[in-house]
Amino acid sequence: MTIYRRAWTMQLKPGAAQAYDAAHATVWPDLRQNMIDAGIHRFHLFRSGQTVFAMQERLQPFPPSGTPPSEVTIRWWQAMAPLMETVDGLRPLQTDLREVFSLVPPDSNEEPPHERHDRHRPDPSDPLHR
């Protein structure tokens, strides 16, 4: 089984950490379902100060850059925009991270990272990514 993984960071605005944490303690059920329907297998957020680290795993390739977001994703971004650094006043500014190590148990069905052929490669011209 191939797992497609992506990690990135985002930045909160000063004083927004408490509201950001509270919002993510009560993620909307329709947003959760939308993520599952989109093929997201796992999605984790971690925060240190104003920096948010996100890691997402899928069982299918990531959609191409420029794929329009869902209506519920747009609503979530609108709710989060006052709390985060954004690209256009809406979409969170994301800095993609390069995977440098992955431990895959020998009895796992997951392919090691070096055997993945269709990994997400962000489009450097996409203003969502820097």
Side-chain angles (χ1 to χ4, degrees):
M1 166 176 48
T2 300
I3 301 289
Y4 300 89
R5 184 172 23 253
R6 179 176 168 243
W8 64 95
T9 60
M10 299 173 283
Q11 293 298 312
L12 300 180
K13 293 179 179 176
Q18 186 176 359
Y20 183 87
D21 290 357
H24 285 83
T26 58
V27 171
W28 309 328
D30 56 338
L31 181 61
R32 288 176 179 267
Q33 188 60 51
N34 181 258
M35 288 189 279
I36 292 166
D37 293 346
I40 297 171
H41 179 64
R42 290 188 180 105
F43 191 5
H44 302 277
L45 295 173
F46 301 85
R47 187 177 61 74
S48 176
Q50 302 303 107
T51 301
V52 176
F53 166 78
M55 196 276 293
Q56 190 180 107
E57 292 181 335
R58 292 173 172 256
L59 300 177
Q60 60 198 32
F62 284 82
S65 292
T67 301
S70 68
E71 178 270 331
V72 69
T73 298
I74 291 171
R75 283 192 295 116
W76 183 260
W77 287 350
Q78 288 170 334
M80 295 297 103
L83 308 177
M84 306 181 73
E85 298 298 328
T86 64
V87 174
D88 52 11
L90 177 65
R91 298 179 301 164
L93 178 63
Q94 301 175 2
T95 301
D96 283 292
L97 302 174
R98 183 173 59 89
E99 184 173 336
V100 295
F101 176 77
S102 179
L103 175 65
V104 178
D107 59 348
S108 168
N109 290 331
E110 182 182 345
E111 293 179 22
H114 68 276
E115 294 180 19
R116 296 183 200 143
H117 300 290
D118 191 14
R119 303 226 7 211
H120 170 72
R121 300 276 189 241
D123 178 353
S125 66
D126 184 346
L128 180 61
H129 305 282
R130 52 174 169 164

